[in-house]
Amino acid sequence: MIATTMMVLVWTPVLGKTPESVVLVTQDLCPYGCSDEEGVFDGFFVRKVRRAFEQMGVSLQLVVVPWRRALHMVEAGDAQGYFPAYRGAQRDAEGQVFVQLDDDGWNWFLLRESPLDPLADSFKKSAKVAGIRGGAMQKWLQDNGYNMSKCPAAVGELVEMLVVGRFDAILDSRHTVQDILRRRGLEKKVRVVQMKTSPWGCIFQRNLFTGIRTS
């Protein structure tokens, strides 16, 4: 069950006035945001973010691009923020503002019959693991010395490679992977082990808001 906190934003006076429009970048990532059969982009996070900006009377433009391009757009000043993302020490140091959207976590996914224990000391060296290429989890796996395989760029491909035995385990968010497993009828093939709680959120450029809260 996805949490139902609502994002509330307050614009900072240094902007002079509430802007007429804001550009946010995001990616195709079900169930948080993805296109349906008719090409309509929607999802749990998409609805929550749109609702927050509607309440402020600010026009919101969502740009859906691959994740690395999304980050480059914000760095270049072509967008004011991006979601979904995890809070990190580097982002805090840069003065970026994190608004929580969901209380999810980092989770290990393994084939149900696998004898491996992701929380065991031996797992780091013995298991072949992967995360989304370019994502925070891939970087964490690399920085912490895991036996990491070549990582795909899409969650669907990551799940498929786990199911066919290319990886012993993958690291990703619970809702994203479970949504793919459910839609493909693979729920009984995979088990999940939570590694840590790490909420998803929306990242904004510094100095945009005087206050941020969730309710």
Side-chain angles (χ1 to χ4, degrees):
M1 184 71 177
I2 299 178
T4 57
T5 54
M6 185 171 73
M7 182 170 65
V8 181
L9 310 174
V10 183
W11 292 102
T12 175
V14 300
L15 293 176
K17 63 178 181 179
T18 301
E20 295 182 357
S21 63
V22 168
V23 178
L24 296 182
V25 284
T26 188
Q27 60 179 323
D28 196 310
L29 189 66
C30 289
Y32 304 124
C34 51
S35 298
D36 61 20
E37 296 178 354
E38 298 180 354
V40 177
F41 190 74
D42 193 21
F44 174 71
F45 285 172
V46 173
R47 291 190 294 273
K48 182 176 289 189
V49 171
R50 281 177 173 157
R51 184 167 63 246
F53 279 88
E54 286 173 358
Q55 291 176 341
M56 292 186 294
V58 176
S59 174
L60 173 64
Q61 179 185 354
L62 288 182
V63 180
V64 184
V65 294
W67 193 237
R68 287 188 177 182
R69 184 178 172 189
L71 299 180
H72 290 323
M73 287 181 65
V74 175
E75 291 172 359
D78 296 326
Q80 286 73 56
Y82 54 92
F83 71 93
Y86 291 109
R87 185 173 188 172
Q90 181 178 346
R91 289 166 176 164
D92 287 345
E94 293 173 351
Q96 296 179 349
V97 178
F98 177 84
V99 182
Q100 182 172 329
L101 294 171
D102 175 50
D103 189 16
D104 198 357
W106 291 22
N107 297 273
W108 288 107
F109 295 87
L110 307 88
L111 293 179
R112 190 166 296 278
E113 65 270 19
S114 172
L116 296 173
D117 178 6
L119 304 182
D121 293 337
S122 59
F123 180 81
K124 181 181 292 187
K125 296 299 182 183
S126 63
K128 184 182 295 185
V129 302
I132 292 298
R133 185 169 69 244
M137 296 185 205
Q138 184 205 25
K139 185 178 187 306
W140 184 88
L141 290 170
Q142 183 176 0
D143 291 347
N144 286 274
Y146 279 80
N147 179 21
M148 190 169 57
S149 300
K150 184 176 180 180
C151 298
V155 182
E157 186 178 357
L158 188 71
V159 172
E160 290 175 2
M161 295 174 77
L162 170 68
V163 172
V164 299
R166 292 280 298 277
F167 309 132
D168 293 315
I170 60 175
L171 186 63
D172 209 288
S173 68
R174 177 186 295 269
H175 297 314
T176 305
V177 173
Q178 288 187 332
D179 180 73
I180 292 174
L181 293 172
R182 177 185 56 78
R183 288 188 283 115
R184 300 183 183 182
L186 298 172
E187 292 172 290
K188 294 183 179 180
K189 284 185 169 291
V190 175
R191 61 185 174 93
V192 57
V193 177
Q194 186 176 57
M195 191 190 80
K196 68 174 183 176
T197 299
S198 184
W200 282 109
C202 189
I203 302 290
F204 294 93
Q205 292 176 336
R206 70 183 73 186
N207 298 328
L208 284 179
F209 307 104
T210 55
I212 296 178
R213 67 184 186 275
T214 58
S215 62

